[in-house]
Amino acid sequence: MKFHIGTAAVSVLASAVWLGAASAQAQQTVNMPDVVELSGPGAVSGTNWRDGVTLAVDELNAKGGILGRKIVTTHSDTQSNPGISRAQVQKALDGDPYVILGPIFSGSVKVNMVLAQQAEVPQFTGAEAADITQAGNPYIFRTSFGQQASMPKIANYIRDGVKAKSVALVWVNNDFGKGGRDNFAREMAARGIKVTVDISTESGQVDFAADVVKVKSANADAVFVYTNEEESARFLREARKQGIRVPLIGETTLLNQKVIELAGDAANGVRGHVGLSADVPVAAIQAFKDKFIKRFNYSPDHNAIKGYTAVHAIRYVTEKIGKFDRKLLAKTLHGLTITPQMEPGILIETTWDDKGDIDRISFLAEVVDGKQRITQTLPKLGK
Amino acid sequence: MTDLVQLLVAGLATGAIYALVAVGFTLLWQTSQTINFAQGEFVMVPAFFVLAAMKFGGASFPVALLLGLIASLLVLGVLFKKLLVDPMIRHGVLPLVISTIALALFLKEGVKEFYAADAQPFPALWATTNITVVGAVIALQNLVIIGVAIAAIAALQWFLAATRTGRSMQATAQNPLLARILGIRVERMILYTFLINAGLVALASVLISPIYLAKFSNGETLGLVAFIAAIVGGFNQVRGAIAGGLLLGVLDNLVAAYVSTQYRGAIPLFLLIAVILFRPQGLLGRAEERSV
């Protein structure tokens, strides 16, 4: 075989040009991968989050991106499986990201946040398990309340609003549910409210007949349900089928738009605390909801708002510090309050503390005629 | 006591659906030596035929049900037989079994990819009201499910025993060679079996989807439980499949309520092991002998 020097030279030159172009292209973009639940029990949450992120990214790219760089986001499916989420985060880290978005399921976050921490990459998660921000990770940031913030609020409502002396507790047996159950039980004990029955259910469970019978037998003044979206809908349907009459109370998930859609009439009368909702009487959130429906043809839930606000928060802090510096982003965000005047995409004034937990106003709500109706606004926990 | 009554009724309702699916399993095995590991997905798919007819075709729910049934008979009956079973059965039972496992994955991922990954609400055919019997609040939904399943299985039994076609199908199941010699159109009888199975799974789908919600992953649990029900009851007897389904439904609920929710999934497996060890023909099955 003859060795054509000319062909070799052209090949080397072409490679150099291609590599140069790719490098220049990379410098014109910022990589923000999204690792989230797009199938499995978390699909409802993850799909909303993904679409919230997509809306925010497209909005920002239409305005020139962040510091002149277009945002590049790929959405990877964790399949609601912690092991797969870890692999997806590792794959995302291999692409030298600026930040990582997601996941939402607490079990997955606990497994994969170690990788992001080791790589010193800020991670914005939708997870709510209390211990996620207790592990001393300076790179983890929530986009919704942790359970240590939401459970005192719902406990106060059960004591003062519902005036219940006893409560039946139904929770999902995963990291999200266990953390919620532990925090809720502690708050009930602190207020002298008896937990008459403590029922664990499985993630992905479809049959709740036995669980509802156990709840009925407990004769509690109220029922607190803390499961994921699809399971919540199935539980509500079964509870309605078996004629449960006492108040059914939840924390954000139980009053979620998707749960209301799936449960139908069975969701009417459900009450609880919502940290975030597309139905709150805040003009910015209503505008977001309209934009979302127009783009994706369905009503967003709180996970969509989480994804949307995360991207905008990242944009604000990056432009504040004036450069793409992961460590400085994390350091700046700790203790920062972002208002809608400073960054319209944040929708509601939000403060991050030194552990990555957030604080903002929240709401009490009830489901009436298939719609979530806000009944009270609660102030921020901090000042 | 009222709790027990409620649990029994709920368990029988779930068990009735398992029985419908298990009967389909059994019929396919008896007439065509087909073990269909996609049976759970066969229950999942008809719900999405109905939803697709409503969403993309703008059909009303009753019309969508009819369209869903027709699609199920065509796809899960005729096409399944012609495109998968007939080519693979020539190579033996094991290649066919593996093919049905692949089909299960294909159906599951297909629905997830082309329809939705999250659960979808499915309309119910009945009102969500309750009646009180001896102090126990019984959901009308459960009674409807039990009634419909009993009616379907009774109709099937009548068809198999009292009609010429049904008796021909039984003859085909017992001895295909002799049936052929006697002039029975064996291929047609086998096709009828596949159509009956498609009808049974479509019915099970319509009954269970309002409760479980329609989701691409519904077939995983349903298929496994129905398979176990068929084995526990007796794989070579339709009445065994019925008994197995009802037993598992009731046992599942009682264990979840009185023993442990976490271990409810293990009970069918323990029962399967016990039956295989101590009564391999199943509780109501007939011991079969083969000459070697």
Side-chain angles (χ1 to χ4, degrees):
Chain A
M1 188 167 91
K2 289 183 183 174
F3 180 66
H4 294 276
I5 294 177
T7 305
V10 167
S11 301
V12 168
L13 187 63
S15 301
V17 168
W18 181 82
L19 280 170
S23 174
Q25 177 68 22
Q27 284 171 6
Q28 293 165 16
T29 60
V30 54
N31 185 19
M32 291 172 39
D34 179 27
V35 178
V36 77
E37 294 74 11
L38 298 178
S39 61
V44 168
S45 312
T47 308
N48 269 269
W49 168 282
R50 177 202 61 196
D51 292 343
V53 165
T54 301
L55 187 61
V57 166
D58 289 350
E59 273 180 6
L60 292 178
N61 280 344
K63 294 177 195 165
I66 303 177
L67 293 176
R69 289 205 211 165
K70 296 280 189 188
I71 305 168
V72 171
T73 299
T74 51
H75 302 283
S76 303
D77 184 6
T78 69
Q79 299 179 40
S80 309
N81 178 301
I84 295 176
S85 80
R86 187 182 165 94
Q88 294 286 27
V89 165
Q90 183 58 65
K91 189 172 141 192
L93 289 170
D94 291 343
D96 191 30
Y98 177 50
V99 299
I100 287 184
L101 302 166
I104 296 174
F105 266 29
S106 300
S108 294
V109 173
K110 284 188 191 178
V111 159
N112 62 48
M113 71 177 187
V114 175
L115 297 177
Q117 181 182 0
Q118 285 168 352
E120 296 180 329
V121 173
Q123 185 175 6
F124 287 77
T125 173
E128 297 180 8
D131 47 0
I132 282 172
T133 47
Q134 313 293 313
N137 179 355
Y139 294 99
I140 193 78
F141 296 94
R142 290 197 202 269
T143 55
S144 59
F145 287 123
Q147 290 155 350
Q148 67 273 43
S150 55
M151 290 307 171
K153 295 193 179 198
I154 193 70
N156 286 343
Y157 172 66
I158 289 174
R159 183 190 59 194
D160 304 328
V162 181
K163 299 194 192 320
K165 297 281 185 278
S166 61
V167 66
L169 171 56
V170 180
W171 52 283
V172 61
N173 189 14
N174 58 19
D175 286 279
F176 162 78
K178 278 183 221 157
R181 178 238 173 237
D182 291 344
N183 279 274
F184 181 80
R186 187 168 50 243
E187 298 300 328
M188 287 293 100
R191 287 161 184 74
I193 299 173
K194 187 174 176 210
V195 176
T196 54
V197 70
D198 184 330
I199 300 170
S200 98
T201 64
E202 294 302 307
S203 184
Q205 184 171 324
V206 292
D207 190 338
F208 286 87
D211 305 294
V212 172
V213 167
K214 285 189 329 195
V215 165
K216 284 170 71 175
S217 304
N219 288 316
D221 295 334
V223 184
F224 181 67
V225 184
Y226 199 67
T227 62
N228 294 116
E229 280 82 353
E230 289 172 9
E231 294 84 342
S232 293
R234 294 186 187 114
F235 180 89
L236 289 176
R237 281 176 169 254
E238 188 63 37
R240 169 76 171 242
K241 216 170 88 175
Q242 292 198 36
I244 283 195
R245 299 263 178 264
V246 295
L248 294 167
I249 299 171
E251 207 304 298
T252 304
T253 309
L254 194 68
L255 296 93
N256 178 316
Q257 276 74 16
K258 185 66 178 180
V259 173
I260 296 170
E261 181 199 334
L262 291 174
D265 288 344
N268 287 334
V270 165
R271 317 176 209 174
H273 173 255
V274 287
L276 265 182
S277 164
D279 288 321
V280 301
V282 172
I285 291 191
Q286 291 307 305
F288 160 80
K289 181 180 174 182
D290 293 338
K291 270 189 300 196
F292 191 97
I293 292 174
K294 193 173 172 189
R295 172 78 186 265
F296 298 106
N297 209 27
Y298 71 94
S299 255
D301 71 6
H302 59 291
N303 294 293
I305 301 174
K306 290 188 218 175
Y308 182 85
T309 54
V311 174
H312 280 282
I314 293 162
R315 185 212 76 87
Y316 174 77
V317 177
T318 306
E319 301 224 345
K320 182 180 166 69
I321 61 181
K323 55 182 174 175
F324 290 96
D325 184 325
R326 296 190 280 248
K327 273 186 172 174
L328 189 53
L329 171 90
K331 190 174 168 205
T332 305
L333 195 48
H334 286 133
L336 182 68
T337 296
I338 306 177
T339 67
Q341 288 73 31
M342 294 153 74
E343 168 53 69
I346 204 70
L347 303 181
I348 295 183
E349 178 181 306
T350 305
T351 303
W352 277 271
D353 69 8
D354 59 343
K355 294 190 177 59
D357 280 308
I358 64 160
D359 190 11
R360 54 182 170 229
I361 60 172
S362 61
F363 311 89
L364 293 175
E366 185 176 352
V367 179
V368 178
D369 292 332
K371 287 194 184 344
Q372 192 190 86
R373 193 182 66 184
I374 302 299
T375 55
Q376 192 178 338
T377 302
L378 304 176
K380 286 170 79 169
L381 285 171
K383 297 288 178 257
Chain B
M1 181 63 188
T2 56
D3 290 349
L4 185 60
V5 171
Q6 281 166 192
L7 284 168
L8 282 173
V9 173
L12 285 171
T14 312
I17 293 170
Y18 294 157
L20 282 176
V21 183
V23 164
F25 249 133
T26 307
L27 281 176
L28 285 183
W29 168 253
Q30 285 180 340
T31 53
S32 63
Q33 306 296 292
T34 302
I35 302 177
N36 178 21
F37 277 113
Q39 189 78 339
E41 279 66 31
F42 275 29
V43 179
M44 176 268 293
V45 164
F48 285 94
F49 284 152
V50 174
L51 290 176
M54 284 166 43
K55 183 176 175 182
F56 303 117
S60 63
F61 183 50
V63 172
L65 280 179
L66 186 59
L67 292 173
L69 175 64
I70 294 169
S72 300
L73 292 174
L74 279 172
V75 173
L76 306 177
V78 177
L79 288 182
F80 173 54
K81 182 184 181 303
K82 299 281 184 207
L83 297 182
L84 191 88
V85 177
D86 287 347
M88 295 308 298
I89 196 72
R90 286 196 282 271
H91 302 285
V93 171
L94 192 55
L96 177 58
V97 164
I98 294 171
S99 302
T100 62
I101 294 171
L103 177 63
L105 283 170
F106 175 76
L107 290 173
K108 196 173 90 165
E109 296 301 318
V111 168
K112 181 176 131 186
E113 189 64 32
F114 295 111
Y115 197 92
D118 54 342
Q120 306 293 310
F122 192 89
L125 287 165
W126 45 80
T128 44
T129 53
N130 302 325
I131 58 173
T132 306
V133 176
V134 293
V137 177
I138 310 283
L140 181 65
Q141 182 179 58
N142 287 340
L143 297 176
V144 168
I145 289 173
I146 294 170
V148 168
I150 289 174
I153 292 172
L156 176 64
Q157 293 288 76
W158 172 84
F159 172 77
L160 289 174
T163 65
R164 189 185 175 89
T165 306
R167 289 198 295 273
S168 299
M169 287 172 67
Q170 288 193 69
T172 303
Q174 286 167 22
N175 193 325
L177 180 59
L178 192 55
R180 201 185 300 275
I181 291 170
L182 291 173
I184 291 171
R185 296 177 72 171
V186 167
E187 295 307 320
R188 182 166 291 190
M189 294 305 116
I190 294 175
L191 176 62
Y192 288 162
T193 309
F194 279 82
L195 289 173
I196 289 171
N197 180 52
L200 287 173
V201 295
L203 179 62
S205 186
V206 167
L207 291 176
I208 201 120
S209 296
I211 307 167
Y212 285 15
L213 307 173
K215 190 169 178 183
F216 75 95
S217 56
N218 278 357
E220 289 166 8
T221 316
L222 271 171
L224 178 63
V225 175
F227 179 67
I228 293 172
I231 302 261
V232 164
F235 215 57
N236 54 17
Q237 293 283 324
V238 168
R239 63 170 190 257
I242 298 167
L246 294 174
L247 176 64
L248 278 180
V250 169
L251 215 56
D252 178 60
N253 264 10
L254 292 178
V255 166
Y258 296 119
V259 180
S260 162
T261 318
Q262 282 97 322
Y263 287 98
R264 72 193 293 177
I267 296 308
L269 298 169
F270 281 130
L271 193 57
L272 176 68
I273 292 168
V275 163
I276 288 174
L277 283 176
F278 300 112
R279 195 175 164 84
Q281 69 270 32
L283 298 174
L284 297 180
R286 191 180 58 243
E288 287 183 355
E289 292 164 355
R290 278 187 300 172
S291 55
V292 293

